[in-house]
Amino acid sequence: SKMDGRGTWRFFEPAMDASLQSRRALETDLRAAMDKNEFDLFYQPIYDLRMDRISGFEALLRWRHPERGLVPPDQFIPVAEEIGLITPLGEWVLNRACAQAASWPNELKIAVNVSATQFRDPRLAAVIANALEVSALPPHRLELEITESVLLGNSAETIATLHELKARGLRIALDDFGTGYSSLSYLRSFPFDKLKIDQSFVRDVTAKKGSKLIVRAITRLGKSLGMTTTAEGVETIEQLNQMKAEGCNEAQGYLFSRPVPATELASTILSLRNG
Ligand code: C2E
Ligand code: CA
Ligand code: CA
Ligand code: CA
Protein backbone atom coordinates (compact mmCIF):
# COMPACT_ATOMS: atom_id res chain seq x y z
CA SER A 1 0.00 0.00 0.00
CA LYS A 2 1.02 3.59 -0.55
CA MET A 3 0.11 7.07 0.57
CA ASP A 4 -1.25 9.12 -2.34
CA GLY A 5 -0.95 12.89 -2.68
CA ARG A 6 -3.98 13.59 -0.52
CA GLY A 7 -2.78 11.54 2.41
CA THR A 8 -5.11 8.55 1.99
CA TRP A 9 -3.94 4.97 1.78
CA ARG A 10 -4.34 3.20 -1.50
CA PHE A 11 -3.96 -0.53 -1.79
CA PHE A 12 -3.20 -0.93 -5.45
CA GLU A 13 0.21 -2.49 -5.09
CA PRO A 14 -0.81 -5.83 -3.56
CA ALA A 15 -3.46 -6.21 -6.29
CA MET A 16 -0.88 -5.52 -8.97
CA ASP A 17 1.44 -8.04 -7.36
CA ALA A 18 -1.28 -10.64 -7.45
CA SER A 19 -2.04 -10.23 -11.16
CA LEU A 20 1.66 -10.07 -11.95
CA GLN A 21 2.21 -13.23 -9.94
CA SER A 22 -0.58 -15.08 -11.69
CA ARG A 23 0.77 -13.93 -15.04
CA ARG A 24 4.26 -15.17 -14.08
CA ALA A 25 2.78 -18.48 -12.97
CA LEU A 26 0.99 -18.78 -16.31
CA GLU A 27 4.26 -18.15 -18.15
CA THR A 28 6.10 -20.74 -16.07
CA ASP A 29 3.34 -23.31 -16.59
CA LEU A 30 3.24 -22.53 -20.32
CA ARG A 31 6.99 -23.11 -20.66
CA ALA A 32 6.61 -26.51 -19.01
CA ALA A 33 3.38 -27.49 -20.76
CA MET A 34 4.99 -28.91 -23.89
CA ASP A 35 7.26 -31.30 -21.94
CA LYS A 36 4.34 -32.28 -19.75
CA ASN A 37 2.29 -33.14 -22.82
CA GLU A 38 -0.57 -30.83 -21.83
CA PHE A 39 -1.38 -29.56 -25.33
CA ASP A 40 -3.91 -31.20 -27.57
CA LEU A 41 -5.57 -30.46 -30.90
CA PHE A 42 -9.31 -30.37 -31.34
CA TYR A 43 -10.84 -30.45 -34.81
CA GLN A 44 -13.82 -28.60 -36.22
CA PRO A 45 -15.38 -29.74 -39.51
CA ILE A 46 -15.48 -27.39 -42.49
CA TYR A 47 -18.51 -28.08 -44.62
CA ASP A 48 -18.55 -27.77 -48.43
CA LEU A 49 -21.98 -26.29 -49.21
CA ARG A 50 -22.10 -27.23 -52.89
CA MET A 51 -20.84 -30.80 -52.48
CA ASP A 52 -22.90 -31.15 -49.31
CA ARG A 53 -20.13 -32.89 -47.37
CA ILE A 54 -17.20 -32.24 -45.05
CA SER A 55 -14.18 -30.94 -46.97
CA GLY A 56 -11.80 -30.90 -44.03
CA PHE A 57 -11.13 -29.88 -40.45
CA GLU A 58 -9.55 -26.90 -38.73
CA ALA A 59 -7.07 -27.76 -35.99
CA LEU A 60 -7.69 -25.75 -32.81
CA LEU A 61 -5.16 -25.80 -30.01
CA ARG A 62 -6.18 -26.71 -26.46
CA TRP A 63 -4.21 -26.59 -23.23
CA ARG A 64 -5.25 -28.96 -20.45
CA HIS A 65 -3.87 -27.22 -17.38
CA PRO A 66 -3.76 -29.45 -14.26
CA GLU A 67 -5.46 -26.80 -12.10
CA ARG A 68 -6.96 -24.26 -14.48
CA GLY A 69 -8.65 -26.91 -16.64
CA LEU A 70 -9.05 -26.40 -20.38
CA VAL A 71 -7.47 -23.01 -21.10
CA PRO A 72 -8.84 -21.40 -24.30
CA PRO A 73 -6.24 -20.40 -26.93
CA ASP A 74 -7.19 -16.72 -26.75
CA GLN A 75 -5.85 -16.77 -23.18
CA PHE A 76 -2.47 -18.38 -23.78
CA ILE A 77 -1.47 -17.85 -27.42
CA PRO A 78 -0.83 -14.10 -26.94
CA VAL A 79 1.34 -15.00 -23.90
CA ALA A 80 3.15 -17.69 -25.90
CA GLU A 81 3.86 -15.04 -28.55
CA GLU A 82 5.23 -12.61 -25.99
CA ILE A 83 7.58 -15.07 -24.30
CA GLY A 84 8.88 -16.49 -27.56
CA LEU A 85 7.17 -19.84 -27.20
CA ILE A 86 4.87 -19.61 -30.21
CA THR A 87 7.47 -20.89 -32.67
CA PRO A 88 8.12 -24.26 -30.95
CA LEU A 89 4.43 -24.51 -30.06
CA GLY A 90 3.41 -23.75 -33.65
CA GLU A 91 5.87 -26.37 -34.86
CA TRP A 92 4.28 -28.91 -32.51
CA VAL A 93 0.84 -28.00 -33.89
CA LEU A 94 1.98 -28.42 -37.51
CA ASN A 95 3.63 -31.78 -36.82
CA ARG A 96 0.69 -33.10 -34.86
CA ALA A 97 -1.97 -31.87 -37.30
CA CYS A 98 -0.17 -33.28 -40.35
CA ALA A 99 0.47 -36.62 -38.62
CA GLN A 100 -3.20 -37.00 -37.64
CA ALA A 101 -4.57 -35.78 -40.99
CA ALA A 102 -2.39 -38.28 -42.87
CA SER A 103 -4.59 -41.08 -41.48
CA TRP A 104 -7.87 -39.47 -42.63
CA PRO A 105 -9.68 -40.22 -45.90
CA ASN A 106 -7.80 -38.66 -48.83
CA GLU A 107 -10.35 -36.00 -49.71
CA LEU A 108 -10.16 -34.35 -46.28
CA LYS A 109 -7.98 -31.29 -45.82
CA ILE A 110 -6.44 -29.98 -42.64
CA ALA A 111 -6.40 -26.25 -41.83
CA VAL A 112 -3.76 -25.01 -39.38
CA ASN A 113 -3.63 -21.54 -37.81
CA VAL A 114 -0.26 -19.80 -38.08
CA SER A 115 0.35 -16.72 -35.94
CA ALA A 116 2.02 -13.59 -37.26
CA THR A 117 5.18 -14.15 -35.21
CA GLN A 118 5.40 -17.76 -36.35
CA PHE A 119 4.91 -16.68 -39.95
CA ARG A 120 7.84 -14.28 -39.76
CA ASP A 121 10.18 -17.04 -38.56
CA PRO A 122 12.62 -17.66 -41.43
CA ARG A 123 12.54 -21.39 -40.58
CA LEU A 124 8.78 -21.68 -41.20
CA ALA A 125 9.05 -23.10 -44.73
CA ALA A 126 11.54 -25.72 -43.52
CA VAL A 127 9.35 -26.59 -40.53
CA ILE A 128 6.37 -27.12 -42.84
CA ALA A 129 8.39 -29.13 -45.34
CA ASN A 130 9.57 -31.37 -42.51
CA ALA A 131 6.05 -31.84 -41.11
CA LEU A 132 4.80 -32.87 -44.56
CA GLU A 133 7.72 -35.21 -45.18
CA VAL A 134 7.57 -36.99 -41.81
CA SER A 135 3.77 -37.43 -42.03
CA ALA A 136 3.73 -38.16 -45.79
CA LEU A 137 0.74 -35.82 -46.04
CA PRO A 138 0.36 -34.48 -49.62
CA PRO A 139 0.95 -30.67 -49.54
CA HIS A 140 -2.38 -29.89 -51.24
CA ARG A 141 -4.18 -31.29 -48.19
CA LEU A 142 -2.58 -28.71 -45.89
CA GLU A 143 -4.10 -25.26 -45.63
CA LEU A 144 -2.54 -22.46 -43.59
CA GLU A 145 -4.79 -19.88 -41.98
CA ILE A 146 -3.18 -16.52 -41.45
CA THR A 147 -4.70 -13.26 -40.27
CA GLU A 148 -4.32 -9.80 -41.69
CA SER A 149 -1.76 -8.99 -38.99
CA VAL A 150 0.73 -11.16 -40.91
CA LEU A 151 0.39 -8.74 -43.81
CA LEU A 152 0.99 -5.55 -41.87
CA GLY A 153 3.94 -3.80 -43.37
CA ASN A 154 3.36 -5.58 -46.67
CA SER A 155 6.94 -6.78 -46.69
CA ALA A 156 8.68 -8.43 -49.62
CA GLU A 157 9.66 -11.34 -47.33
CA THR A 158 6.04 -12.07 -46.48
CA ILE A 159 5.06 -12.09 -50.15
CA ALA A 160 8.03 -14.32 -50.97
CA THR A 161 7.15 -16.78 -48.20
CA LEU A 162 3.52 -16.95 -49.34
CA HIS A 163 4.58 -17.57 -52.94
CA GLU A 164 7.05 -20.22 -51.85
CA LEU A 165 4.42 -22.08 -49.82
CA LYS A 166 1.93 -21.90 -52.68
CA ALA A 167 4.56 -23.15 -55.11
CA ARG A 168 4.96 -26.19 -52.84
CA GLY A 169 1.25 -26.89 -53.28
CA LEU A 170 -0.14 -25.62 -49.96
CA ARG A 171 -3.31 -23.57 -49.73
CA ILE A 172 -3.45 -20.25 -47.96
CA ALA A 173 -6.57 -18.86 -46.28
CA LEU A 174 -7.05 -15.36 -44.93
CA ASP A 175 -8.69 -15.78 -41.51
CA ASP A 176 -11.12 -13.42 -39.72
CA PHE A 177 -11.56 -11.50 -42.95
CA GLY A 178 -13.11 -8.08 -42.52
CA THR A 179 -11.79 -7.47 -39.02
CA GLY A 180 -8.44 -6.01 -38.08
CA TYR A 181 -6.68 -3.39 -40.12
CA SER A 182 -8.12 -4.39 -43.45
CA SER A 183 -6.71 -2.93 -46.54
CA LEU A 184 -7.93 -4.37 -49.78
CA SER A 185 -4.66 -3.60 -51.54
CA TYR A 186 -2.94 -6.74 -50.26
CA LEU A 187 -5.56 -8.90 -51.96
CA ARG A 188 -3.80 -7.95 -55.19
CA SER A 189 -0.31 -8.82 -53.98
CA PHE A 190 -1.02 -12.06 -52.10
CA PRO A 191 -2.10 -15.32 -53.67
CA PHE A 192 -4.85 -16.38 -51.26
CA ASP A 193 -7.01 -19.37 -52.00
CA LYS A 194 -9.71 -18.57 -49.50
CA LEU A 195 -11.29 -15.80 -47.46
CA LYS A 196 -12.78 -16.80 -44.13
CA ILE A 197 -15.61 -14.40 -43.33
CA ASP A 198 -15.37 -13.45 -39.68
CA GLN A 199 -18.10 -14.71 -37.39
CA SER A 200 -19.04 -11.17 -36.34
CA PHE A 201 -20.59 -10.65 -39.80
CA VAL A 202 -22.12 -14.14 -39.91
CA ARG A 203 -23.73 -13.66 -36.48
CA ASP A 204 -25.73 -10.64 -37.67
CA VAL A 205 -26.29 -11.74 -41.25
CA THR A 206 -30.02 -12.35 -40.77
CA ALA A 207 -30.65 -9.44 -38.41
CA LYS A 208 -28.62 -6.52 -39.69
CA LYS A 209 -28.80 -5.24 -43.23
CA GLY A 210 -25.24 -3.90 -42.97
CA SER A 211 -23.80 -7.34 -42.15
CA LYS A 212 -25.76 -8.92 -44.99
CA LEU A 213 -24.40 -6.39 -47.47
CA ILE A 214 -20.84 -6.85 -46.19
CA VAL A 215 -21.15 -10.63 -46.55
CA ARG A 216 -22.47 -10.12 -50.08
CA ALA A 217 -19.59 -7.81 -50.93
CA ILE A 218 -16.97 -10.21 -49.52
CA THR A 219 -18.33 -13.26 -51.37
CA ARG A 220 -18.43 -11.31 -54.64
CA LEU A 221 -14.98 -9.87 -54.08
CA GLY A 222 -13.62 -13.35 -53.36
CA LYS A 223 -15.28 -14.84 -56.41
CA SER A 224 -14.02 -12.13 -58.75
CA LEU A 225 -10.47 -12.59 -57.44
CA GLY A 226 -10.67 -16.37 -57.83
CA MET A 227 -10.84 -17.10 -54.10
CA THR A 228 -13.38 -19.25 -52.28
CA THR A 229 -15.23 -17.99 -49.20
CA THR A 230 -15.96 -19.73 -45.91
CA ALA A 231 -18.52 -18.57 -43.36
CA GLU A 232 -17.18 -18.81 -39.80
CA GLY A 233 -19.26 -19.29 -36.67
CA VAL A 234 -22.50 -20.49 -38.29
CA GLU A 235 -24.84 -21.35 -35.41
CA THR A 236 -28.34 -21.31 -36.90
CA ILE A 237 -30.06 -22.72 -39.96
CA GLU A 238 -31.16 -19.16 -40.86
CA GLN A 239 -27.54 -17.99 -40.95
CA LEU A 240 -26.60 -21.02 -43.03
CA ASN A 241 -29.37 -20.39 -45.56
CA GLN A 242 -28.39 -16.74 -45.86
CA MET A 243 -24.71 -17.60 -46.39
CA LYS A 244 -25.74 -20.15 -49.03
CA ALA A 245 -27.93 -17.56 -50.74
CA GLU A 246 -24.96 -15.19 -50.88
CA GLY A 247 -22.93 -17.84 -52.67
CA CYS A 248 -20.55 -18.77 -49.87
CA ASN A 249 -18.62 -21.96 -50.70
CA GLU A 250 -18.08 -23.39 -47.24
CA ALA A 251 -19.40 -23.06 -43.71
CA GLN A 252 -18.10 -23.86 -40.27
CA GLY A 253 -19.71 -23.50 -36.87
CA TYR A 254 -21.58 -25.02 -33.97
CA LEU A 255 -24.56 -25.75 -36.26
CA PHE A 256 -22.42 -28.48 -37.83
CA SER A 257 -20.20 -29.34 -34.88
CA ARG A 258 -18.13 -27.88 -32.10
CA PRO A 259 -14.40 -28.59 -32.24
CA VAL A 260 -13.96 -32.23 -31.12
CA PRO A 261 -10.99 -34.30 -29.92
CA ALA A 262 -9.31 -36.51 -32.53
CA THR A 263 -10.96 -39.58 -31.02
CA GLU A 264 -14.40 -38.20 -31.95
CA LEU A 265 -13.60 -37.39 -35.58
CA ALA A 266 -15.06 -40.55 -37.05
CA SER A 267 -18.38 -40.18 -35.21
CA THR A 268 -18.55 -36.49 -36.18
CA ILE A 269 -18.09 -37.38 -39.85
CA LEU A 270 -20.76 -40.06 -39.58
CA SER A 271 -23.33 -37.87 -37.82
CA LEU A 272 -22.89 -35.08 -40.39
CA ARG A 273 -23.24 -37.60 -43.22
CA ASN A 274 -26.52 -38.85 -41.81
CA GLY A 275 -27.88 -35.31 -41.49
P1 C2E B 1 -10.10 -18.77 -35.18
O1 C2E B 1 -8.97 -19.28 -35.98
O2 C2E B 1 -10.92 -17.68 -35.77
O3 C2E B 1 -10.97 -20.04 -34.81
C1 C2E B 1 -12.37 -20.03 -34.71
C2 C2E B 1 -12.82 -19.93 -33.27
O4 C2E B 1 -14.24 -19.84 -33.24
C3 C2E B 1 -12.48 -21.16 -32.45
O5 C2E B 1 -12.26 -20.74 -31.11
C4 C2E B 1 -13.76 -21.98 -32.53
O6 C2E B 1 -13.91 -22.91 -31.48
C5 C2E B 1 -14.78 -20.89 -32.47
N1 C2E B 1 -16.05 -21.28 -33.11
C6 C2E B 1 -16.25 -22.16 -34.10
N2 C2E B 1 -17.55 -22.22 -34.44
C7 C2E B 1 -18.20 -21.34 -33.64
C8 C2E B 1 -19.57 -20.95 -33.50
O7 C2E B 1 -20.48 -21.42 -34.20
N3 C2E B 1 -19.84 -20.00 -32.56
C9 C2E B 1 -18.88 -19.45 -31.77
N4 C2E B 1 -19.24 -18.53 -30.88
N5 C2E B 1 -17.57 -19.81 -31.88
C10 C2E B 1 -17.24 -20.73 -32.80
P2 C2E B 1 -11.01 -21.27 -30.27
O8 C2E B 1 -10.79 -22.73 -30.54
O9 C2E B 1 -11.23 -20.85 -28.85
O10 C2E B 1 -9.79 -20.48 -30.89
C11 C2E B 1 -9.69 -19.09 -30.76
C12 C2E B 1 -8.57 -18.54 -31.60
O11 C2E B 1 -7.29 -19.01 -31.14
C13 C2E B 1 -8.63 -18.99 -33.05
O12 C2E B 1 -9.57 -18.21 -33.75
C14 C2E B 1 -7.19 -18.73 -33.48
O13 C2E B 1 -7.00 -17.37 -33.77
C15 C2E B 1 -6.42 -19.08 -32.23
N6 C2E B 1 -5.87 -20.44 -32.36
C16 C2E B 1 -6.46 -21.64 -32.12
N7 C2E B 1 -5.60 -22.65 -32.35
C17 C2E B 1 -4.43 -22.09 -32.78
C18 C2E B 1 -3.15 -22.61 -33.18
O14 C2E B 1 -2.90 -23.83 -33.25
N8 C2E B 1 -2.19 -21.69 -33.52
C19 C2E B 1 -2.44 -20.35 -33.50
N9 C2E B 1 -1.44 -19.51 -33.85
N10 C2E B 1 -3.62 -19.83 -33.14
C20 C2E B 1 -4.61 -20.69 -32.78
CA1 CA C 1 -8.71 -20.01 -37.99
CA1 CA D 1 -11.43 -17.12 -37.82
CA1 CA E 1 -10.90 -15.36 -34.54
Side-chain angles (χ1 to χ4, degrees), residues 175-176 198 232:
D175 206 352
D176 302 346
D198 191 70
E232 298 197 81

Side-chain angles (χ1 to χ4, degrees), residues 94-138:
L94 276 162
N95 285 327
R96 175 65 155 248
C98 290
Q100 293 194 311
S103 70
W104 301 348
N106 281 331
E107 71 274 11
L108 294 176
K109 296 189 180 68
I110 174 73
V112 175
N113 292 285
V114 176
S115 85
T117 313
Q118 194 188 349
F119 199 86
R120 288 192 200 98
D121 176 12
R123 285 179 54 249
L124 180 71
V127 164
I128 289 170
N130 180 68
L132 290 170
E133 197 186 313
V134 170
S135 63
L137 184 78

Side-chain angles (χ1 to χ4, degrees), residues 50-104:
R50 228 171 40 105
M51 307 292 275
D52 205 18
R53 63 160 194 234
I54 297 177
S55 55
F57 289 87
E58 177 175 1
L60 292 158
L61 188 56
R62 297 290 180 263
W63 178 18
R64 294 181 206 279
H65 190 282
E67 291 114 43
R68 296 176 201 241
L70 214 58
V71 186
D74 288 333
Q75 276 177 33
F76 69 86
I77 285 173
V79 182
E81 295 229 16
E82 277 174 50
I83 65 176
L85 209 78
I86 194 68
T87 304
L89 183 54
E91 184 168 351
W92 180 86
V93 169
L94 276 162
N95 285 327
R96 175 65 155 248
C98 290
Q100 293 194 311
S103 70
W104 301 348

